[in-house]
Amino acid sequence: MVSMSKITLFSEATLIDAVRVIEGTAKRLAVVLSGDDRVLGTLTDGDIRRSLLQGCTLQTVVTEAMNKLPVTAFVNSSDSILRDLLKKHNIRALPLVDKEHKYVRTIHEAELITGHQVMTNQKIFKIAVIMAGGEGTRLWPITQNLPKPMVEINGFPLLERQIRR
């Protein structure tokens, strides 16, 4: 058995299986599980590209290319703890585990901002234009040395907040 769900793989899966999983979800992460559902590692498209550059093939097993020390969190962790982990490790998604360290689900940074589940990888639009002008005079002196779109609210610049939405 290669795939357990749309975002997880078992250790005998190949890199081509991982590519299919990553492409099939907006979370852009594949979680590699042991037979008892414990997280063995994670894979991103960057992990796969690096392994291919090192001589692996798409038939290589995922355990050869996965991040063997993935960042995980307990499923009952607060949103602020999860946001801090994502920011600290510069990642966009991470597996959540129960008290026995068994995989429960994967959380994506967008879920912590909007409170909504990330949908499957659907293309909603092709092009977007964000108008981010203005002098920021009402926010003076904050905008004296910082453009208004880069003013942070709850740890995220206004422009990034708009892009994520």
Side-chain angles (χ1 to χ4, degrees):
M1 181 193 266
V2 173
S3 181
M4 180 181 145
S5 74
K6 291 183 180 181
I7 200 163
T8 60
L9 299 163
F10 289 110
S11 59
E12 65 270 12
T14 63
L15 291 182
I16 192 70
D17 297 322
V19 169
R20 287 185 183 113
V21 166
I22 292 168
E23 286 298 310
T25 177
K27 294 183 181 184
R28 313 305 289 167
L29 180 77
V31 180
V32 181
L33 301 178
S34 66
D36 63 352
D37 295 336
R38 295 183 192 281
V39 177
L40 295 176
T42 57
L43 274 164
T44 63
D45 58 348
D47 295 322
I48 294 170
R49 283 193 309 271
R50 285 184 290 278
S51 69
L52 292 173
L53 287 172
Q54 293 174 354
C56 292
T57 70
L58 291 175
Q59 300 310 313
T60 301
V61 292
V62 292
T63 53
E64 295 295 316
M66 72 182 185
N67 173 1
K68 294 177 174 81
L69 298 171
V71 178
T72 62
F74 288 109
V75 71
N76 59 353
S77 298
S78 70
D79 286 0
S80 64
I81 289 173
L82 296 173
R83 277 192 295 273
D84 289 346
L85 277 172
L86 292 170
K87 190 172 186 176
K88 176 182 177 185
H89 295 282
N90 193 27
I91 54 177
R92 295 183 182 247
L94 63 97
L96 299 179
V97 296
D98 64 17
K99 61 183 177 182
E100 296 168 355
H101 297 277
K102 292 188 178 191
Y103 175 79
V104 176
R105 68 185 186 97
T106 298
I107 186 108
H108 189 274
E109 66 182 350
E111 295 172 72
L112 299 171
I113 295 170
T114 64
H116 295 98
Q117 291 290 328
V118 174
M119 301 300 285
T120 57
N121 195 15
Q122 299 173 356
K123 292 184 180 179
I124 299 170
F125 53 86
K126 293 182 182 180
I127 297 173
V129 176
I130 297 174
M131 302 299 288
E135 295 179 9
T137 53
R138 289 180 289 170
L139 295 175
W140 202 264
I142 296 170
T143 55
Q144 183 175 4
N145 297 315
L146 184 68
K148 184 170 60 175
M150 297 310 295
V151 172
E152 286 192 13
I153 307 285
N154 292 331
F156 294 99
L158 289 169
L159 183 60
E160 182 177 349
R161 198 176 273 280
Q162 290 300 334
I163 290 170
R164 290 175 186 224
R165 287 186 181 168

